[in-house]
Structures are given as structure tokens and as C-alpha cells.
């Protein structure tokens, strides 16, 4: 697969002058992104988040809680954003 990048001229010149192998650096960066995704999926935080959302879904499905309407959601989000 081939991709193209837009790099500022001065940055490109600095990379070339420094002898940076841009192809390998980009590949390393992309592999690192994938590893970070896997790190989260395998983390305790992911398990906690998963349990939290599973419980919230069960509460909604059982009638113990109910989801907001789109209008209610938008009002609450607007109030939250204004409070920031």
C-alpha cells in the first residue's frame, strides 16, 4: 500500500539532513499505535470500563434506569459545556 504525506519543507530538509529513515520511523509509529490499542484492551481499566457499561446497559434493559432522549441529552451537554 502506498500513502502520501504532506511535510513542511523545512521539516523535510531537517529529516533528510539528519539521515532519518522516514519509512522505518513511520512504520515504527504505526506499530506503536496498534500496540497501544492492544495495551488498553488487555488492561484492568478496559475491564473496569467494560463492566461499567455492561451494568449500565443491564439497568436500561431492566427498566432500572432509562436513557435520555436526544433533546434531553443535548440540553445536558450544552449545560455541561457552558459550565467548563
Amino acid at each position: 500500500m502506498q500513502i502520501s504525506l504532506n511535510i513542511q519543507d523545512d521539516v523535510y530538509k531537517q529529516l533528510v539532513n539528519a539521515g532519518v529513515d522516514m519509512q522505518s520511523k513511520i512504520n515504527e509509529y504505526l506499530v506503536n499505535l496498534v500496540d497501544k490499542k492492544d495495551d488498553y484492551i488487555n488492561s484492568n481499566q478496559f475491564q473496569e470500563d467494560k463492566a461499567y457499561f455492561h451494568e449500565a446497559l443491564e439497568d436500561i434493559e431492566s427498566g432500572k434506569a432509562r436513557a435520555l432522549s436526544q433533546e434531553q441529552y443535548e440540553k445536558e451537554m450544552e449545560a455541561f459545556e457552558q459550565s467548563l
Side-chain angles (χ1 to χ4, degrees), residues 13-47:
K13 287 177 186 175
Q14 289 175 345
L15 290 168
V16 170
N17 290 338
V20 174
D21 178 359
M22 289 181 275
Q23 182 66 50
S24 66
K25 290 295 182 186
I26 290 170
N27 285 339
E28 287 175 26
Y29 174 72
L30 294 174
V31 167
N32 191 26
L33 285 177
V34 172
D35 288 345
K36 286 184 179 182
K37 175 188 163 261
D38 290 342
D39 286 348
Y40 173 65
I41 289 174
N42 296 319
S43 71
N44 287 335
Q45 184 64 51
F46 176 79
Q47 296 304 318

